[in-house]
Amino acid sequence: MTVGPLQCVGALVVDDYGRIFVQRRSADRSLFPSTWDVVGGHVEPGETAHEALRREVAEETGWRVTEVLALVGEYAYRGDDGIDRQETDYLVRVAGDLTRPRLEPDTHTEFRWLGPDELDLLDQADATQGLIRQLVTDGFAAVHRTVPVGLAPARFAALVAPAIDRAFIDGMAVAREGGGRDVTRAHGPGAGALLVEFRTALGRPGRTITPQEYGGITRYRDPREFRAQLAEQAALGWIELDGDGGFRASAKGLAFLSDLWAAQGTALDGVWTDPGVVSRLVLATGAVLDAAVATGGPALRATTPIHEPPGARPTAVLLNRLGTLRYHRADAHAAAWTAAGLTAAEVQAMAGGPVRAAVEADTNARAAAPYTRMSLDARLSLLADLAALPGQGRD
């Protein structure tokens, strides 16, 4: 009886930057003279190709296949063991920590996310490794056919963060110079300070900021100095302390925040003058914030839910929603450097390099969650409208 080739599957795992996952097999476990390979293996009796695909990904990386995006191709080859194989490869997305795959002990020694400009890594003299390069090349072609990489959620998170920062920082400068400072002076000594920093939550009467919440905002500060600031603000009557270390705005503080919201709206109405842009951004940032709550950390919890006073100007609403969105990314960044085994002080002192790049990539992946619900058109519109917002000194 003639026995056909061994049926195999391969998984070309793609991330949100359009990179493909490759791993190196230890020399004594490789079918090929060169050891870079994609995830894959043979189909067990009774398994479908997709079932085998999911099993192999789980066994070799610990990740879970969430989507089979495309068929990459079919490839025939003979391994060093002399067995003929027929392999079907698929482009897939996975769930899990993409910075830390659970490699099989004694089988895989390292991994990397390969970009389309790094295919030379796979160049070897032997013909079988040429097949690996070919299927990865075909994988990148499938990526470009299938995945909108330029605005995939993690890539979009990297693009939108500086746009949000620019709009918020410019908007705060306008609000401060256009009336915010006058409000602070009018209310007397110590006005502003913590009230401004925690304004989006403290504006709600009775809302208490807990130590766990403000710990996210102050994670890069000396906690003793912050506690001293709390005591000073309480002594001046702007906040009230509770017995568990939390604080809330006093009646005096609430009056300040009400005047601040009015001043922000008045100042920004003279600069953010396109009602269509402002209206679209108010709706978009509201939807993103609603989605962000599910994955936010303590800093976001310290600033939400946002208290938006009745009658608040849309420009003031937008300014404060933009500021709150920045805390979702701050929490994502803290989670990324914590997962990398770093401390706040180490991150603050860290220069550029591969570790910093890895932390930033993980930050973008974590910060992407609220944007996964947006269509490509909605992401493009958000970027365009943020760019259209004038700031202080901008035309």
Side-chain angles (χ1 to χ4, degrees), residues 373-389:
R373 301 184 185 183
M374 300 178 73
S375 68
L376 180 59
D377 285 346
R379 293 176 203 164
L380 287 169
S381 177
L382 178 56
L383 282 176
D385 285 337
L386 286 170
L389 282 180

Side-chain angles (χ1 to χ4, degrees), residues 210-258:
T210 69
Q212 292 76 23
E213 290 173 338
Y214 66 67
I217 302 285
T218 61
R219 55 172 60 101
Y220 302 107
R221 306 183 205 170
D222 185 330
R224 295 168 299 180
E225 292 182 3
F226 185 75
R227 286 194 293 270
Q229 188 180 16
L230 286 176
E232 179 185 18
Q233 288 282 290
L236 290 170
W238 297 111
I239 63 171
E240 298 170 350
L241 304 178
D242 68 14
D244 297 321
F247 66 96
R248 66 183 69 87
S250 64
K252 179 180 173 181
L254 290 171
F256 167 81
L257 289 173
S258 178

Side-chain angles (χ1 to χ4, degrees), residues 26-83:
S26 55
D28 59 346
R29 298 298 299 273
S30 177
L31 295 174
F32 309 130
S34 178
T35 58
W36 286 109
D37 198 3
V38 299
V39 177
H42 65 273
V43 179
E44 298 281 2
E47 276 188 323
T48 66
H50 282 200
E51 288 170 345
L53 194 71
R54 289 175 166 81
R55 175 180 53 77
E56 289 291 346
V57 169
E59 289 176 354
E60 295 189 18
T61 66
W63 298 330
R64 177 175 58 85
V65 173
T66 58
E67 188 176 7
V68 179
L69 296 168
L71 172 67
V72 173
E74 295 185 349
Y75 307 88
Y77 63 92
R78 176 173 293 175
D80 278 2
D81 56 4
I83 297 176

